[in-house]
Amino acid sequence: MDSRSFGRARLTLPDFDQPGPYLANVTSLESSRGSVQEFLYADADLRALELADTQLITGRITGLRAARVQLQSLNLHSVEFDACNLGTAQWADSKLSRVVFRNCKVMGATFDGLALDEVLFENCKLDYTAFAKVRVTGPLAFSKCALSEASFTDCDLTDAVFSDCTLRLTEFGRGRYQGLDLRGNDLSTVRGVHRLAKVLIDRAQQADMAEALLAELDVTYGDDFEER
């Protein structure tokens, strides 16, 4: 296992580059037993990936490309996704523990009803993705991710971390954000800034949040008004 820190969050994550369990090559993530363990699933190019009521335990998924992804009621533990393109994935009602998404592209996707415990998104493209009813049950970090025009609605992101991410027009809807660590990000264009009570920022980000709030309020400045 690999232990890494992001802000105040410390995550214990799978590290398959170190000596550990033998990963057997598999040609499918489906199993009649409902469980796939100690596996390596590599370089698949699929028209569709559909999984439901499945456990993926201790494995690595690398180079996966799928045009259509439907994932429902999955339980993932100690799984790494590397350099995968999951397109506009629809992922619902699942539990992820000690899971890493690294160098992945998941744009315009929907994550609905996921429980995340020690999950890391690192250097991922998540633009236009909708996170709904996502809740953290342990540490969660987004590091160097693109989240332009992504949205969070009815989520519990308590004590989660966004580190060096692109948050252009990212929308924070109703939800729980206490302790959310937003240090090191440009917050000047985020939406829903009025909902970000009790988050953690640097003093230098006060101007960013003020700019974002003024944009939401759609105020008119006196000198602009007089020029009309």
Side-chain angles (χ1 to χ4, degrees), residues 138-212:
L140 166 66
F142 295 86
S143 176
K144 299 180 181 179
C145 290
L147 288 146
S148 294
E149 297 189 51
S151 63
F152 296 87
T153 306
D154 291 325
C155 295
D156 182 351
L157 298 182
T158 302
D159 295 329
V161 177
F162 290 78
S163 176
D164 195 20
C165 292
T166 300
L167 300 177
R168 186 181 64 83
L169 301 179
T170 304
E171 182 170 0
F172 294 92
R174 59 185 179 273
R176 294 174 58 87
Y177 302 109
Q178 185 169 346
L180 173 62
D181 189 343
L182 293 171
R183 292 175 294 175
N185 305 281
D186 182 350
L187 305 178
S188 61
T189 64
V190 299
R191 296 171 172 174
V193 67
H194 63 286
R195 295 190 175 94
L196 297 177
K198 299 183 179 179
V199 298
L200 178 63
I201 64 171
D202 292 317
R203 291 190 183 278
Q205 292 172 292
Q206 292 180 79
D208 285 357
M209 296 195 78
E211 183 177 343

Side-chain angles (χ1 to χ4, degrees), residues 54-127:
T54 300
Q55 294 188 82
L56 302 179
I57 302 173
T58 311
R60 189 176 193 188
I61 301 170
T62 180
L64 167 64
R65 297 170 298 280
R68 184 168 61 87
V69 178
Q70 296 276 348
L71 306 174
Q72 176 80 33
S73 302
L74 302 187
N75 188 341
L76 274 62
H77 181 75
S78 293
V79 175
E80 175 185 292
F81 292 81
D82 183 43
C84 295
N85 186 341
L86 302 182
T88 55
Q90 306 293 305
W91 196 336
D93 302 325
S94 300
K95 296 180 179 179
L96 284 66
S97 174
R98 293 186 175 174
V99 174
V100 180
F101 297 86
R102 184 176 290 113
N103 305 316
C104 292
K105 187 176 181 180
V106 197
M107 299 176 66
T110 299
F111 294 126
D112 188 358
L114 304 189
L116 307 180
D117 177 11
E118 294 196 286
V119 174
L120 170 64
F121 292 88
E122 184 170 45
N123 196 34
C124 293
K125 293 185 180 298
L126 298 162
D127 301 320

Side-chain angles (χ1 to χ4, degrees), residues 14-85:
D15 183 2
F16 298 117
D17 293 327
Q18 300 297 323
Y22 171 75
L23 301 182
N25 286 288
V26 298
T27 58
S28 173
L29 295 175
E30 298 181 88
S31 170
S32 59
R33 297 173 297 174
S35 179
V36 182
Q37 300 185 39
E38 298 186 352
F39 64 92
L40 173 62
Y41 186 56
D43 301 321
D45 195 347
L46 307 177
R47 177 173 296 177
L49 173 65
E50 299 181 359
L51 290 176
D53 301 308
T54 300
Q55 294 188 82
L56 302 179
I57 302 173
T58 311
R60 189 176 193 188
I61 301 170
T62 180
L64 167 64
R65 297 170 298 280
R68 184 168 61 87
V69 178
Q70 296 276 348
L71 306 174
Q72 176 80 33
S73 302
L74 302 187
N75 188 341
L76 274 62
H77 181 75
S78 293
V79 175
E80 175 185 292
F81 292 81
D82 183 43
C84 295
N85 186 341

